Amino acid sequence: IITMASNHWLLAWMGLELNTLSILPIIMKPNHPRATEATTKYFLIQATAAALILCATTMNAWKTGQWTITHTLTPTATTLLTIAVALKLGLAPTHLWYPEVMQGSTTTTALIISTWQKIAPLSLLMMTHNYLNTNLLLALGLVSATVGGWGGLNQTQARKIMAFSSIAHMGWLITALALNQTLTTLTMIIYITMTSTIFNFLATTMTKTISDTGMTWPISPPLTTTTMLALVSLAGLPPLTGFMPKWLILKELTTLPLISLLLLMTSLPSLFFYTRLAYFMTITTPPTTTNTEYKWRFNINIKPNTTLMTTATLLLLPLTPLLYNTT
């Protein structure tokens, strides 16, 4: 929050550090060796990125004589800043820590890491976007979309799949940042909405692996059906909400046909693993009858915001002109 409210690099750096230190106890709360390992990895990566940001801003202050965020003019400083924020966001090729940290966290903590924790670093990029290297941003976006798609193909753990999904979406987001700041805001809002919907399902049904999704139908058929549609939306297929950001980004990329084509090609592997999840969830449903007289199924508590989030994830495409012109 300090990062977004201030225009001074030292205050922004302090906000990033507070943000990092605040999430560490949340990640390590389960008291499990994997959680401790994830916390250590997260701390080391975020501290390295924060040190790089401090280095970049010091270089900028040395050259320009001021610490104002919106006056970061030095090419070396902006390049170093872009790399540091890419490390914080888990963009490829600095992404290897991200799936491991997500897998070592609880589902709710993984949701926080993949949504809320990305807002502060992204706001820094948005404040300095006039001075950033467009070619570097487009390259990071393309590599992230590719790695996010290919990396998720061989995964069986739901949180790791969501991690690679997040990397791919961040690739599209950084591409949007290189083109249009308004579109970046809209893409981020839609990404957070769709990701929250999927994580809400994973937390409610206690799903950990792909094979677990096949057992969710007896627990709650309506929730399973809407989640299958939400996965298709996350893949970016029309007529669902997830198609909107990809549609608008490709519209902005019409002057760069090669980048457009490559981005479209990288979305195919992502589409495959989302479709595979949807397939396991609904088409391979196990028999819902049981011969035992005991009630062995869990009673789930569907969260009150589920309906609102699912509706936003599925049905916002007709509102594209309104959202695009007001964000």
Side-chain angles (χ1 to χ4, degrees):
I1 291 171
I2 290 174
T3 306
M4 290 185 283
S6 70
N7 196 21
H8 193 286
W9 270 119
L10 287 181
L11 279 175
W13 175 80
M14 186 174 73
L16 289 171
E17 287 297 281
L18 284 172
N19 179 258
T20 301
L21 292 172
S22 302
I23 192 78
L24 296 179
I26 299 173
I27 302 173
M28 70 170 78
K29 186 178 178 292
N31 290 327
H32 191 276
R34 279 189 182 175
T36 310
E37 183 186 338
T39 310
T40 309
K41 286 177 180 174
Y42 188 82
F43 170 72
L44 290 174
I45 292 294
Q46 298 295 318
T48 305
L52 281 174
I53 289 173
L54 203 56
C55 177
T57 53
T58 307
M59 287 171 63
N60 184 66
W62 176 40
K63 293 284 187 184
T64 62
Q66 56 182 312
W67 290 90
T68 315
I69 294 175
T70 49
H71 200 75
T72 310
L73 305 174
T74 322
T76 312
T78 52
T79 303
L80 200 55
L81 172 69
T82 307
I83 293 167
V85 173
L87 185 58
K88 272 190 169 291
L89 290 174
L91 286 169
T94 57
H95 67 284
L96 292 172
W97 63 274
Y98 189 58
E100 302 300 322
V101 170
M102 291 276 277
Q103 183 60 29
S105 313
T106 63
T107 309
T108 310
T109 309
L111 168 62
I112 297 169
I113 293 169
S114 60
T115 54
W116 180 257
Q117 292 300 101
K118 294 185 186 297
I119 295 173
L122 195 67
S123 65
L124 287 179
L125 279 188
M126 291 182 75
M127 290 175 81
T128 56
H129 84 287
N130 286 329
Y131 310 111
L132 298 177
N133 186 331
T134 308
N135 291 334
L136 178 60
L137 290 177
L138 287 173
L140 281 171
L142 190 56
V143 172
S144 297
T146 308
V147 168
W150 283 104
L153 287 178
N154 204 29
Q155 302 300 329
T156 56
Q157 299 290 326
R159 279 164 295 181
K160 278 198 174 179
I161 288 175
M162 290 307 296
F164 282 106
S165 160
S166 178
I167 292 166
H169 276 91
M170 283 295 116
W172 283 85
L173 191 69
I174 292 298
T175 306
L177 181 67
L179 304 165
N180 187 326
Q181 201 174 5
T182 305
L183 181 53
T184 310
T185 309
L186 178 60
T187 306
M188 187 63 180
I189 291 168
I190 290 173
Y191 161 75
I192 289 174
T193 306
M194 294 191 299
T195 306
S196 301
T197 304
I198 301 298
F199 271 110
N200 185 26
F201 165 79
L202 296 178
T204 304
T205 58
M206 289 172 283
T207 299
K208 300 287 187 296
T209 64
I210 289 183
S211 55
D212 289 347
T213 58
M215 301 300 293
T216 55
W217 183 265
I219 297 172
S220 175
L223 185 62
T224 307
T225 307
T226 51
T227 306
M228 186 270 288
L229 291 171
L231 281 166
V232 175
S233 180
L234 204 60
L237 291 184
L240 303 171
T241 305
F243 178 61
M244 187 201 302
K246 291 189 176 181
W247 181 23
L248 295 173
I249 289 167
L250 289 170
K251 179 183 77 69
E252 295 285 340
L253 274 171
T254 44
T255 52
L256 299 165
L258 181 61
I259 302 279
S260 305
L261 179 64
L262 291 172
L263 264 177
L264 274 173
M265 296 297 284
T266 59
S267 65
L268 289 176
S270 300
L271 175 62
F272 174 79
F273 65 73
Y274 291 128
T275 312
R276 184 176 58 178
L277 267 174
Y279 175 82
F280 267 91
M281 197 176 291
T282 52
I283 301 177
T284 59
T285 49
T288 52
T289 55
T290 174
N291 294 323
T292 178
E293 61 185 50
Y294 300 112
K295 288 180 69 178
W296 55 272
R297 294 186 180 118
F298 294 109
N299 289 321
I300 60 164
N301 295 315
I302 295 177
K303 297 175 178 60
N305 59 354
T306 302
T307 307
L308 182 63
M309 286 198 306
T310 306
T311 307
T313 302
L314 301 180
L315 302 175
L316 289 186
L317 189 62
L319 299 178
T320 302
L322 173 68
L323 293 171
Y324 187 42
N325 294 322
T326 54
T327 45

